[in-house]
Amino acid sequence: MADEKDKQAKPTKSVKRPKKALFVIMCILSVLVVAVTLVVGIVVSPYFDLVTTFTTKPDMASTEVRQASQATSDITEEVEAEGVTLLKNENDALPLSGVTKVNVFGSTAGNNFSYGGTGSGAGDTSKNVTFYQGLEDAGLSANPNLEQFYEENATAAKDMGIVGTDWNLYELPQSSYTQDVIDDAKTYSDTAIVVLTRKGGEGFDLPTDMAAYEGSEAGRSYLELSPNEEDLLAMVEGNFDRVIVVLNSPNAMELGFVDAPQVDAALWVGTPGATGCDAIGKVLTGAVNPSGRTVDTFPYEAESAPSYYNFGAHDYTNVQHTNQSLFAGSGDVTSGTENVHFVDYAEGIYVGYRYYETAAADGYIDYDATVQYPFGYGLSYTTFDEKIADFSDDGTTITMTVDVTNTGDVAGKDVVEAYYSAPYTPGGIEKSAVVLAGFDKTKLLEPGETQTLKISWTHEDMASYDYTGVKAPGGAYVLEAGDYQVSLRRNSHDVVDTRTVTIDRDYIYNDANDGARSTDGVAATNQFDDVSFGGGVTYLSRADWAGTFPTMAPAEKEAPAEIKDALDNPAPVENPNVDDVTYGAKNGLTLADMTGLSYDDPQWDKLLDQMTLNEQKMLVSNGGWMTFSAKSVGKPAIVECDGPNGVNNIMASYNGTQLTGQSVLGYTWNKELAQRVGELFAQEATALKVGGLYAPGADTHRSPFGGRNYEYVSEDGLLTGEIVAAEVRGIQSQGVYCYVKHFALNDQETHRGDAGGLVTWANEQSMREIYLRPFELAVKDGGAMAMMSSYNRLGATPTAESHALLTQVLRNEWGFRGSVVTDCVLAADTSNINRALHAGNDLYLAFLQDKMLTSDTLDTAAGHQALRNACHNILYTEANSSSTFTVGMFGQSPLITAVEVVLAAIIVLLATYFVRRHMKMKRWRAQQ
């Protein structure tokens, strides 16, 4: 009884009512958490691949990365060693035999030295071998007092960010060079090395007039010496016995000053990348014998080139475009409305040496007074004898066998160049007096050693494209009857020996006559009449040099009514009546199962049937520096990145080795070396977890003022194409795919991506023989499986929307199988994704472009077919690239996982709070 009394007497613990304020706060917090969870789950989760690829970085200190980077560093020095071009060498000024001390003049030899360019081809220069370090590594001592003088007085170039170039010229005025500085230098050494630097980069072309920039003056271009540089040279020439000029520039400069007798030697070194300065030092000392050859013609005056007069900024005043990109206003692309811009390729086929050699042959120019260094020119520390040892023509293929003998005293390499001259009839198909037919480079030949090289090309390779219908109505490649002079030359101008090939009749490569060329899937016929004739351009012709030579294009003019209408009213998206596609099938296939299967294998249809519409939509429209995963087919997310001069992952902020500029690789004239560069480039990309590269660059040095000439090989389609094809073979041999860029006629930076794309007018002969030729060789000889379309328009049609370019020429004629990505369209709406998909552009280098897909694509059978075809092309490229399955990311970023864990933890805590509050509330009510 006592126990019961005690129990009854014990007071019951009071339960307080839960606080309402806390409950309200927790309810609000719950709503917010649910909202965030829904946003993450519904809105953000489809884009998790973006976060994954841009937050997952490789281990830069790993053995794999370090070994791959060392290999690319080594070959970068090798490329520079073969690319350095000796332009002048009087009185045996080079090599610097017995010289150990040198004076280095020029304010750009230090911090302002150019190793590459800006934009996609940029790289991390912080660990590069400097010019001074390269001299030291080669055993040369640079005057330390002079070096310190520049460190204390020279102005550093401005950092222009990812895109852009500081065009100011910072050479010091002569007033800065006190007599003490000069006397000290004269005491130190009688050898002076003068470094002159020019730069290039994405987004802007080199200034044709320096009025708006420091360090020069109105009336001088960026490619001419500044007054301070002229004064520097005069001072050096007057005080030192041996004067050597080192030209650190990616673009062909006006070099008349090199002819001065006081200048003993001149070296063209281009942009040497991470380790190329070691090669420059070795060339100066003679440890390496220079074997580079020019990739451009060097005229005394840039104005002598017909392309000079149609380059840069030219506007249609009566056609405007409003940038409606999701990211308009970011980067170097403007937002708002502006005039549409245009450029006329009025020079036709007469680009570079094709103009200078032909105009000279016809007596229109004095060659020696106009051209300083021909295309394909370069000296050596030794001498070579070249002779045609054998020559054959089997009716299809021409073979020139050349014996090359080192007749000098030191080992060296030689370049063998073969050219042809086709018969020309005034008023007929335009022909260059000289065209490069083939080339090769010897091994390192010891004194007295001979090597035999064979250069072959076909009759078809000598055919000209007849776009006006002189011989072939509707256009075709035509090999005209007559005698073709075939020559062995030291360069485009200097003949060693010749042979004659006689073509018995006209061969017209179309279906009505001799059929397609053997390398074409279907016969090439006119696809670009709108581009050839739509701009009203008068093209330069041998039939009337003076009457057709271009004049300066107006800065502004009105577009004719038909052009204005085409630009203002693009054709609607096509919607033909086709069968719809299958989605979501369960066929049990994965992307890995497709490796090695032909493009037309029936298994592809089964695999594509498995994909969902949403997967296809997300894959094609979010291709910025990556491709999305697709779970239905076991496709991982793949990192893709820039650029032509080494891995440059802009979005994830890491770089590989900075390679030499692509033009330096061209200066080597070495296809075997280009292929090895590609192999090692790809190995480093794989080590850095990159599966696809936006490289190599295959556009043309149409003008020496091209801002991205450092990213491109040369002024010649064959040289560019052979080097690029070799590099592509090397890259793809290691399982990495590469987008050859920019397809096509993206040969200037000025307004290239503004106002809906630069309107480009060119005739189809020049397009096919010069500007498309490198891409053609990359496909046919290099086996390229990916392309990047360009910002510009061909006539009124954006290249990404050009069915003629991307389907008829690229795929049907050339037999290309693979994927096409746009150039970066984050901030520039240079094309419409819906029209582009129908034209054959598969992938958009941007994010969130799925928001730009319309019902024309998403709700029609024709649109579904276009999406499916694009996915087929993308998956075909990746299935045949082993990197897809070695560096592809099937999981998600730890960052995303962490966000999900945090959200889950908050939800658990909130749930716990509400459960406990409910129980407490229940007890409180019970005691009331």
Side-chain angles (χ1 to χ4, degrees), residues 518-719:
S518 61
T519 59
D520 285 336
V522 298
T525 56
N526 281 3
Q527 301 299 318
F528 305 103
D529 281 348
D530 58 325
V531 186
S532 297
F533 306 110
V537 179
T538 297
Y539 296 104
L540 184 58
S541 172
R542 290 181 71 174
D544 183 10
W545 286 113
T548 59
F549 194 90
T551 55
M552 185 62 74
E556 295 181 340
K557 71 176 183 180
E558 285 197 357
E562 61 273 17
I563 295 175
K564 175 176 170 56
D565 182 64
L567 292 170
D568 286 340
N569 302 292
V573 176
E574 295 182 3
N575 188 16
N577 185 19
V578 295
D579 293 336
D580 210 336
V581 304
T582 299
Y583 292 113
K586 306 298 182 182
N587 295 326
L589 293 172
T590 66
L591 184 60
D593 296 325
M594 313 310 289
T595 301
L597 297 184
S598 71
Y599 182 84
D600 297 318
D601 192 288
Q603 290 289 87
W604 278 108
D605 282 330
K606 294 182 179 179
L607 182 84
L608 293 166
D609 285 349
Q610 295 176 197
M611 296 187 74
T612 66
L613 174 60
N614 188 63
E615 283 180 325
Q616 292 184 353
K617 176 183 75 172
M618 298 301 286
L619 176 59
V620 304
S621 59
N622 291 279
W625 297 279
M626 61 163 293
T627 63
F628 264 42
S629 62
K631 292 182 180 179
S632 67
V633 295
K635 179 207 174 309
I638 306 291
V639 173
E640 302 174 344
C641 71
D642 298 302
N645 304 323
V647 172
N648 178 24
N649 195 322
I650 296 172
M651 302 306 293
S653 301
Y654 63 84
N655 298 92
T657 303
Q658 187 178 32
L659 306 178
T660 68
Q662 193 84 3
S663 59
V664 176
L665 186 57
Y667 273 91
T668 71
W669 288 63
N670 190 329
K671 291 173 279 189
E672 182 272 335
L673 181 58
Q675 182 161 334
R676 286 198 287 120
V677 168
E679 292 168 359
L680 296 177
F681 186 3
Q683 288 175 18
E684 185 171 22
T686 299
L688 294 171
K689 310 304 180 187
V690 173
L693 295 167
Y694 300 149
D699 290 298
T700 301
H701 294 181
R702 176 178 174 250
S703 166
F705 293 96
R708 288 172 94 172
N709 281 7
Y710 81 102
E711 285 193 31
Y712 309 139
V713 175
S714 78
E715 69 184 23
D716 180 70
L718 179 69
L719 176 60

Side-chain angles (χ1 to χ4, degrees), residues 876-915:
Y876 179 77
T877 297
E878 296 188 358
N880 288 283
S881 303
S882 60
S883 61
T884 297
F885 308 107
T886 57
V887 305
M889 289 174 284
F890 289 91
Q892 66 183 25
S893 166
L895 176 63
I896 297 173
T897 302
V899 170
E900 290 177 337
V901 169
V902 169
L903 284 173
I906 293 174
I907 291 171
V908 169
L909 290 173
L910 288 170
T912 301
Y913 164 78
F914 283 113
V915 169

Side-chain angles (χ1 to χ4, degrees), residues 167 198-201 203-210 219-224 250-254 296 299 301-305 307-309 311-312 700-710 747-750:
W167 303 123
R198 295 294 185 270
K199 299 183 178 182
F204 303 90
D205 292 310
L206 281 58
T208 56
D209 192 290
M210 292 294 289
R220 298 194 190 216
S221 80
Y222 186 68
L223 296 176
E224 296 176 75
N251 296 57
M253 295 173 62
E254 294 185 13
D296 300 310
E301 295 181 353
E303 293 87 341
S304 64
S307 63
Y308 179 85
Y309 301 93
F311 186 85
T700 301
H701 294 181
R702 176 178 174 250
S703 166
F705 293 96
R708 288 172 94 172
N709 281 7
Y710 81 102
D747 307 303
Q748 74 172 47
E749 292 300 287
T750 304

Side-chain angles (χ1 to χ4, degrees), residues 413-457:
K413 294 185 176 184
D414 190 27
V415 175
V416 174
E417 304 174 36
Y419 295 80
Y420 68 86
S421 300
Y424 167 69
T425 302
I429 303 172
E430 295 295 332
K431 305 279 183 68
S432 171
V434 173
V435 178
L436 182 67
F439 63 94
D440 204 353
K441 194 165 191 175
T442 69
K443 65 179 182 178
L444 186 68
L445 296 178
E446 297 297 330
E449 187 177 4
T450 298
Q451 183 180 0
T452 300
L453 299 177
K454 288 186 177 182
I455 301 176
S456 297
W457 66 97

Side-chain angles (χ1 to χ4, degrees), residues 187-256:
T187 301
Y188 188 80
S189 173
D190 67 353
T191 298
I193 298 174
V194 181
V195 177
L196 300 172
T197 297
R198 295 294 185 270
K199 299 183 178 182
E202 184 173 357
F204 303 90
D205 292 310
L206 281 58
T208 56
D209 192 290
M210 292 294 289
Y213 302 96
E214 296 178 26
S216 192
E217 61 188 8
R220 298 194 190 216
S221 80
Y222 186 68
L223 296 176
E224 296 176 75
L225 290 184
S226 70
N228 285 343
E229 289 171 332
E230 288 181 339
D231 293 342
L232 172 66
L233 274 169
M235 181 270 287
V236 170
E237 290 168 0
N239 285 280
F240 297 90
D241 294 335
R242 180 164 16 199
V243 177
I244 299 159
V245 175
V246 172
L247 298 157
N248 168 222
S249 169
N251 296 57
M253 295 173 62
E254 294 185 13
L255 301 178

Side-chain angles (χ1 to χ4, degrees), residues 429 460-467 471-472 475-480 507-510 514-515 517 520 523-526 764-765 767-770 772-773 776 780 813-814:
I429 303 172
E460 291 177 0
D461 292 332
M462 300 191 297
S464 300
Y465 191 79
D466 176 19
Y467 81 102
K471 294 288 181 72
Y477 283 98
V478 177
L479 182 70
E480 291 192 283
Y507 288 82
I508 301 175
Y509 298 103
N510 61 14
D514 295 288
R517 295 180 300 170
D520 285 336
T525 56
N526 281 3
E764 190 157 349
Q765 182 182 11
M767 290 173 66
R768 288 183 178 273
E769 293 184 16
I770 299 174
L772 301 186
R773 182 65 169 156
E776 179 182 7
K780 292 179 176 179
E813 290 183 18
W814 298 350

Side-chain angles (χ1 to χ4, degrees), residues 220-397:
R220 298 194 190 216
S221 80
Y222 186 68
L223 296 176
E224 296 176 75
L225 290 184
S226 70
N228 285 343
E229 289 171 332
E230 288 181 339
D231 293 342
L232 172 66
L233 274 169
M235 181 270 287
V236 170
E237 290 168 0
N239 285 280
F240 297 90
D241 294 335
R242 180 164 16 199
V243 177
I244 299 159
V245 175
V246 172
L247 298 157
N248 168 222
S249 169
N251 296 57
M253 295 173 62
E254 294 185 13
L255 301 178
F257 62 89
V258 172
D259 287 348
Q262 297 89 346
V263 174
D264 299 289
L267 285 176
W268 188 268
V269 303
T271 49
T275 55
C277 283
D278 272 342
I280 297 171
K282 291 176 181 178
V283 168
L284 288 167
T285 62
V288 167
N289 190 345
S291 60
R293 299 291 185 271
T294 56
V295 299
D296 300 310
T297 305
F298 283 64
Y300 282 105
E301 295 181 353
E303 293 87 341
S304 64
S307 63
Y308 179 85
Y309 301 93
N310 289 273
F311 186 85
H314 306 283
D315 289 3
Y316 286 131
T317 57
N318 59 333
V319 189
Q320 283 75 42
H321 178 85
T322 301
N323 187 357
Q324 297 179 335
S325 166
L326 292 173
F327 299 92
S330 61
D332 66 324
V333 181
T334 59
S335 59
T337 300
E338 61 178 308
N339 288 339
V340 171
H341 316 288
F342 72 93
V343 62
D344 297 339
Y345 284 38
E347 67 279 3
I349 67 167
Y350 299 109
V351 178
Y353 75 87
R354 284 173 167 81
Y355 166 68
Y356 292 106
E357 299 297 340
T358 310
D362 290 352
Y364 181 64
I365 63 170
D366 181 334
Y367 189 89
D368 291 337
T370 306
V371 175
Q372 186 174 15
Y373 303 117
F375 170 81
Y377 171 88
L379 304 175
S380 172
Y381 295 155
T382 189
T383 55
F384 296 96
D385 176 70
E386 297 177 356
K387 66 178 182 180
I388 299 176
D390 192 24
F391 185 85
S392 65
D393 174 17
D394 64 6
T396 300
T397 302

